[in-house]
Amino acid sequence: MAVDIILGSGNAWLIIGLLLCILELSAGNLIFFLPMGVSALVIGLILKLQESNYIITLISDWVFSATYWAILALILSIVLNKVIQAKETDDVNRY
């Protein structure tokens, strides 16, 4: 199946992550594309390390890689949102 071949490859996840990070540079909203891009890069790195037999098999199917990608993107989005809210300073125009 094409989905299994494409999403089971570490190269595909690295390309997806790179494209999402580049899209973040053009969009600039920092909450949507960046966590998805970073989590795709992490999943791609894990899959490439598995393909090279440097680590044990953590992700065995494309369903697991998509699930881990979504969970990691959600966690990174929440953490990034908390960091951005913590860095906001009080506005002088707020009464």
Side-chain angles (χ1 to χ4, degrees):
M1 214 171 170
V3 174
D4 190 29
I5 294 171
I6 293 172
L7 292 182
S9 169
N11 290 335
W13 283 103
L14 291 173
I15 291 170
I16 290 169
L18 186 62
L19 289 175
L20 286 170
C21 288
I22 290 172
L23 189 60
E24 174 61 40
L25 289 174
S26 64
N29 56 5
L30 197 64
I31 299 297
F32 189 69
F33 294 118
L34 186 65
M36 290 192 321
V38 170
S39 63
L41 289 172
V42 169
I43 295 297
L45 181 66
I46 290 171
L47 287 173
K48 288 299 285 184
L49 289 173
Q50 282 181 188
E51 291 170 4
S52 302
N53 293 325
Y54 285 121
I55 61 172
I56 60 171
T57 302
L58 300 173
I59 302 172
S60 60
D61 197 12
W62 70 270
V63 176
F64 293 121
S65 61
T67 304
Y68 294 150
W69 170 70
I71 291 170
L72 186 59
L74 179 67
I75 291 170
L76 286 174
S77 179
I78 291 170
V79 168
L80 191 60
N81 195 8
K82 296 290 183 186
V83 168
I84 289 174
Q85 285 180 353
K87 285 187 176 182
E88 289 181 358
T89 58
D90 289 334
D91 189 9
V92 294
N93 294 324
R94 194 179 292 172
Y95 298 108

